[in-house]
Amino acid sequence: MPAVAFVSTRNSSTIVSLSEAIERGLAPDGGLFMPQQMPAVDHSAACDPQRLPSVARKALAGFFEDDRLQSQLPQIADAALNIEAPTTRVEKSAAPVHVLELFHGPTAAFKDFGARFLAECLQRLQSPGASPTTILVATSGDTGGAVAAAFHRRPWARVVILFPKGLVSARQEQQLTCWGDNVCALRVGGTFDDCQRMVKEAFMDLQLQRQHRFSSANSINIGRLLPQLVYYAASSLQLYQDSGVKPSYIIPSGNLGNVCAALWARLLGFPIGRIVLAHNLNRAVPDYLQSGVWQPRKSILTLASAMDVGNPSNMERLHGAYTSVDALREQLSADSVDDATIQARIRQDFLEWGREWCPHTATAAEVYRRLPAEERKRPWVIVATAHPAKFHDVVEPLIGRTVTVPESLARLLDLPAQCTDIPPTLAALAASIR
Ligand SMILES: *Cc1c(COP(=O)(O)O)cnc(C)c1O
């Protein structure tokens, strides 16, 4: 019996190992996998908070215990998490406010951490001689690029990306369509919800299942959440060592994957204070915490498009762990920010702090400013989920200058792009992946 088993949110008698949970993505009953209990972390073990692979060995050891992948954790962490994730102080603020910079990966958003870790795990779980796995991803922007970068030129995998035509930024589209080789980009004449529906339909279609070995890389996969808790562990250890006070985190949120990771890091005993969610006008979570009634809805388009989620899939994990709204209120709070305020925040923080935010990060920066002055005497961390250069068309007019493009992103912007336009139907998807 593995030390930590994983169970479905819909049926706690479905028990699987870590490897199985990663390979399956979604539980057979349609639920999401959760650790049956949080493993113990050896907090006396040495680790270097500046290096994510070092923190990963300590923070994730319990999840990997007795699993097929146990002996490989160090190599997986070295290969996937060799990305900088510094927590930097906002020097121009008198209050102790910091930024957790999660945009130093190959596609300049935090999705790189999860996608790369998942790719390294799945690679080690392939049986020799098996036919390639087809990874289907519906994306509203950042996930598709990160998954493509992580799985590009891995011969055992084929990636099919579905994205809504005209609803991603120009630079995001370039990052989805610049790969070639084993990555195929489909531009769907529909919305993100259409793309997600088509992926679900493909997964349930028996005939397609016989032709392909499908796997999912969306944030429901536990193999994406585990590496995300590592940067919260590392950041909190570093700030706690410096100040002796537990830092609190403000997280730009959509599907709530990043929030689950932060909650898990705190449950593991890493020194994290409060966890606050920043949403755009998709207010399902803030409204739930206020009213106590869970009402998923259609998504609304905003400037922070990667957070345009009306029915966050990881809510099922939160409902599973905290069965009443009061229990959830004890763990986190949430606020919402409209587009005009996102724009004003980008402008003001550039003038006052010299910081350039992407529209997602700006929601967290705004929620920070709304905290009572007394609260702001304690250390806070604004989680920066993407680089502003990915959203230069929004950011540059507001700050009145061009945003310097990170080198890894610049390389991708120079590659030739290719994609296929399809209507929003399963038949069109099936035909284009045949
Ligand atoms: C995906 C994404 C988010 C939302 O993260 P969730 O884990 O889905 O809550 C926020 N900001 C950016 C830039 C993203 O790409």
Side-chain angles (χ1 to χ4, degrees):
M1 199 58 213
V4 176
F6 291 81
V7 296
S8 165
T9 44
R10 298 198 184 162
N11 178 353
S12 56
S13 61
T14 309
I15 298 179
V16 301
S17 66
L18 173 66
S19 295
E20 241 182 299
I22 290 175
E23 278 186 310
R24 283 175 177 267
L26 203 64
D29 57 15
L32 310 188
F33 288 115
M34 290 279 278
Q36 205 170 24
Q37 74 283 320
M38 279 294 155
V41 171
D42 177 5
H43 286 285
S44 67
C47 80
D48 176 359
Q50 311 286 348
R51 289 197 60 250
L52 292 184
S54 162
V55 179
R57 281 169 213 203
K58 171 173 172 157
L60 301 183
F63 293 100
F64 279 71
E65 203 171 303
D66 293 338
D67 188 79
R68 264 201 287 167
L69 287 174
Q70 178 173 22
S71 66
Q72 316 259 353
L73 173 59
Q75 291 93 307
I76 293 171
D78 284 343
L81 301 180
N82 57 347
I83 302 174
E84 300 288 313
T87 304
T88 56
R89 174 84 195 249
V90 177
E91 301 289 349
K92 289 189 177 164
S93 165
V97 56
H98 306 77
V99 182
L100 172 53
E101 300 180 8
L102 299 179
F103 49 69
H104 296 290
T107 68
F110 80 87
K111 304 289 198 306
D112 283 322
F113 294 93
R116 287 159 62 90
F117 195 88
L118 181 63
E120 295 297 335
C121 289
L122 287 176
Q123 174 148 321
R124 289 166 174 81
L125 292 171
Q126 292 302 308
S127 354
S131 58
T133 302
T134 299
I135 294 168
L136 288 179
V137 214
T139 185
S140 57
D142 291 324
T143 295
V147 169
F151 288 81
H152 185 224
R153 297 199 174 145
R154 294 191 195 249
W156 51 270
R158 178 176 177 219
V159 178
V160 178
I161 302 170
L162 289 82
F163 68 96
K165 182 174 181 172
L167 297 179
V168 303
S169 83
R171 281 190 183 163
Q172 280 179 321
E173 176 158 334
Q174 171 68 19
Q175 287 185 309
L176 299 172
T177 54
C178 69
W179 302 96
D181 301 314
N182 62 333
V183 179
C184 155
L186 301 176
R187 187 162 58 188
V188 176
T191 62
F192 172 60
D193 292 339
D194 289 319
C195 298
Q196 252 185 335
R197 171 185 50 77
M198 290 160 73
V199 168
K200 279 193 193 136
E201 286 172 0
F203 268 94
M204 291 185 310
D205 188 286
L206 292 178
Q207 200 183 342
L208 280 178
Q209 269 187 12
R210 270 197 296 275
Q211 291 162 358
H212 305 275
R213 286 204 310 131
F214 284 133
S215 179
S216 151
N218 282 355
S219 72
I220 48 171
N221 194 309
I222 200 130
R224 279 186 45 180
L225 296 189
L226 294 179
Q228 290 177 216
L229 74 82
V230 175
Y231 47 68
Y232 291 109
S235 167
S236 64
L237 282 175
Q238 182 204 321
L239 290 183
Y240 189 69
Q241 276 174 10
D242 293 350
S243 72
V245 184
K246 292 179 181 179
S248 296
Y249 288 80
I250 309 179
I251 307 174
S253 295
N255 250 328
L256 307 176
N258 219 359
V259 167
C260 280
L263 287 167
W264 291 1
R266 190 169 64 185
L267 282 171
L268 290 174
F270 289 97
I272 294 172
R274 287 181 55 193
I275 294 174
V276 180
L277 284 52
H279 290 268
N280 56 27
L281 271 193
N282 291 277
R283 301 187 38 100
V285 177
D287 287 352
Y288 172 55
L289 292 177
Q290 205 157 52
S291 71
V293 185
W294 177 241
Q295 280 181 313
R297 44 200 91 158
K298 280 202 154 173
S299 43
I300 304 170
L301 301 185
T302 76
L303 289 175
S305 53
M307 294 157 42
D308 290 347
V309 184
N311 185 10
S313 44
N314 282 296
M315 195 63 203
E316 186 158 338
R317 284 197 166 104
L318 297 186
H319 279 317
Y322 309 105
T323 43
S324 75
V325 68
D326 285 326
L328 191 60
R329 283 179 186 133
E330 281 172 22
Q331 302 301 320
L332 46 80
S333 54
D335 203 349
S336 136
V337 179
D338 66 30
D339 276 355
T341 312
I342 287 175
Q343 290 172 311
R345 180 52 50 208
I346 291 174
R347 202 182 286 121
Q348 190 190 348
D349 283 357
F350 179 68
L351 287 174
E352 260 182 40
W353 286 356
R355 289 280 182 153
E356 297 170 350
W357 305 135
C358 85
H360 312 82
T361 307
T363 65
E366 170 65 20
V367 170
Y368 170 75
R369 301 283 186 140
R370 293 178 185 171
L371 293 169
E374 198 54 34
E375 288 254 12
R376 277 187 270 132
K377 289 183 180 158
R378 302 165 67 79
W380 282 87
V381 182
I382 293 166
V383 177
T385 47
H387 195 285
K390 276 187 109 158
F391 304 91
H392 69 299
D393 40 353
V394 176
V395 178
E396 288 176 351
L398 294 168
I399 65 172
R401 64 169 221 187
T402 51
V403 178
T404 308
V405 180
E407 209 178 300
S408 57
L409 188 55
R411 234 185 346 256
L412 302 184
L413 297 180
D414 278 342
L415 296 173
Q418 46 192 319
C419 73
T420 309
D421 281 293
I422 65 167
T425 64
L426 179 62
L429 171 59
S432 50
I433 63 175
R434 192 170 294 136

